Amino acid sequence: TFQTIWFKDVGVVGINNPSAENCTFSSNEKVEILINNFGQKPQTLFNFRYAVNGVPAPIPHPQDGFYTGVIGNDSIQYIEFETEWDFSEPGYYLIEAWTELEEDGDVSNDTFAYEIITAYPKPLEEDFESQIWPENWTTSAGEFVHEPNAHNNPTALIGQNIYSGIPNWDVTTHRVGLIVDGDVFSFDYRYVDWFDGTNPTTLGPNDRLDVQISDDCGDTFTTVYTVDSDNHITSLDLATVEIDLTDYVGKAITIRFEATWGSGDYWLDLDNINIPGCPGDFGLFANSVVTHET
């Protein structure tokens, strides 16, 4: 075997900041990249740049984006841009960073692309009819969607047999936002007896379903609604609950269902988990085409 060796070849091989491990960022984040010298000769005096969602950062030269040090063969340099970017709006970011070296031998390794999703845009509409567990949702008892009539359920939904052996069950959605005035969160639920689901369940004093919301990336949750023996609708049909989200206007939120067993042996089913509405940009994308007249 043999390998072609370039004398002049640099490129970006990583992005350290922002990191997908974080959930929120500031309006003045500084992008940090890793530059590698793949070539045999030391390199200096070349440009490096970045763009977010296809928009190049307005990097002033030579104050920023101009490498004046010396990077040797097979060496990596950590470099932070001085030009800041606003990553504070929850959503999707595609960060692309690249080098510009005159007579670079292999331009295919110049650019590194990195995707971050800090929140999913509205609407949140999950009816489980695909019978696939929703992406980036978590649960304490297995990612499983029940097909229609699995236990007398009219539609596909998620459910858990809750009893002394499994006294707790939680389901957490992905982060969604931003919430605006008038947004309402709704879901359907029902309790039915194990195992065939043909009898509705009457909740005992310690059976409960807490609906919780987090606006700090899941670090803390606040209970905003509880289904218990005082307000539970005993029925084979799904009951609908609506929760006003006025307290979360301007924020992205994560929703958690947390069920607690007190007595009995039953199914808790959840379906039609929704936050209607449009994303802030209405999910529209546009391409500009420049034409030249002759």
Side-chain angles (χ1 to χ4, degrees), residues 79-93:
I79 300 177
E80 184 180 75
F81 288 92
E82 292 298 322
T83 302
E84 300 170 344
W85 195 274
D86 183 359
F87 290 97
S88 62
E89 183 84 4
Y92 169 84
Y93 296 99

Side-chain angles (χ1 to χ4, degrees), residues 159-171:
Q160 178 62 46
N161 174 214
I162 300 177
Y163 66 110
S164 59
I166 304 179
N168 301 99
W169 180 48
D170 65 69
V171 175

Side-chain angles (χ1 to χ4, degrees), residues 17-62:
N17 187 65
S19 170
E21 296 179 357
N22 298 330
C23 183
T24 58
F25 302 100
S26 70
S27 60
N28 54 356
E29 291 285 340
K30 292 184 177 180
V31 175
E32 184 184 58
I33 65 174
L34 286 69
I35 292 180
N36 190 0
N37 182 7
F38 302 100
Q40 295 301 296
K41 289 186 176 182
Q43 297 298 330
T44 186
L45 304 180
F46 58 86
N47 297 324
F48 55 95
R49 291 178 163 81
Y50 78 93
V52 180
N53 292 340
V55 179
I59 299 171
H61 288 95

Side-chain angles (χ1 to χ4, degrees), residues 162-164 166-168 191 193 201-210 226-232 258-266 268:
I162 300 177
Y163 66 110
S164 59
I166 304 179
N168 301 99
Y191 285 89
D193 289 350
T201 300
T202 300
L203 296 186
N206 296 318
D207 297 304
R208 60 189 293 123
L209 170 64
D210 292 316
T226 297
V227 177
D228 57 19
S229 57
D230 291 332
N231 62 359
H232 168 54
E258 190 169 81
T260 303
W261 173 82
S263 61
D265 188 358
Y266 51 77
L268 167 57

Side-chain angles (χ1 to χ4, degrees), residues 2-187:
F2 68 93
Q3 178 181 355
T4 301
I5 298 176
W6 303 105
F7 287 114
K8 302 178 68 174
D9 184 15
V10 296
V12 179
V13 294
I15 296 176
N16 267 8
N17 187 65
S19 170
E21 296 179 357
N22 298 330
C23 183
T24 58
F25 302 100
S26 70
S27 60
N28 54 356
E29 291 285 340
K30 292 184 177 180
V31 175
E32 184 184 58
I33 65 174
L34 286 69
I35 292 180
N36 190 0
N37 182 7
F38 302 100
Q40 295 301 296
K41 289 186 176 182
Q43 297 298 330
T44 186
L45 304 180
F46 58 86
N47 297 324
F48 55 95
R49 291 178 163 81
Y50 78 93
V52 180
N53 292 340
V55 179
I59 299 171
H61 288 95
Q63 299 94 332
D64 192 13
F66 186 59
Y67 187 77
T68 57
V70 177
I71 182 171
N73 168 249
D74 205 25
S75 295
I76 293 179
Q77 292 287 334
Y78 290 74
I79 300 177
E80 184 180 75
F81 288 92
E82 292 298 322
T83 302
E84 300 170 344
W85 195 274
D86 183 359
F87 290 97
S88 62
E89 183 84 4
Y92 169 84
Y93 296 99
L94 170 63
I95 307 170
E96 297 169 287
W98 66 93
T99 56
E100 296 174 348
L101 172 65
E102 187 176 354
E103 297 179 357
D104 190 300
D106 183 9
V107 296
S108 67
N109 57 18
D110 289 356
T111 303
F112 185 87
Y114 190 52
E115 293 181 321
I116 296 176
I117 299 176
T118 58
Y120 287 82
K122 296 179 300 180
L124 169 63
E125 295 178 324
E126 184 54 68
D127 60 10
F128 307 103
E129 293 306 312
S130 67
Q131 299 186 36
I132 299 174
W133 185 265
E135 185 178 6
N136 294 320
W137 287 33
T138 60
T139 180
S140 61
E143 299 178 353
F144 185 74
V145 178
H146 297 273
E147 65 182 14
N149 296 312
H151 49 270
N152 199 35
N153 46 301
T155 61
L157 44 69
I158 57 175
Q160 178 62 46
N161 174 214
I162 300 177
Y163 66 110
S164 59
I166 304 179
N168 301 99
W169 180 48
D170 65 69
V171 175
T172 305
T173 70
H174 58 245
R175 191 167 181 246
V176 61
L178 292 171
I179 301 303
V180 300
D181 190 34
D183 277 344
V184 174
F185 165 58
S186 64
F187 68 94

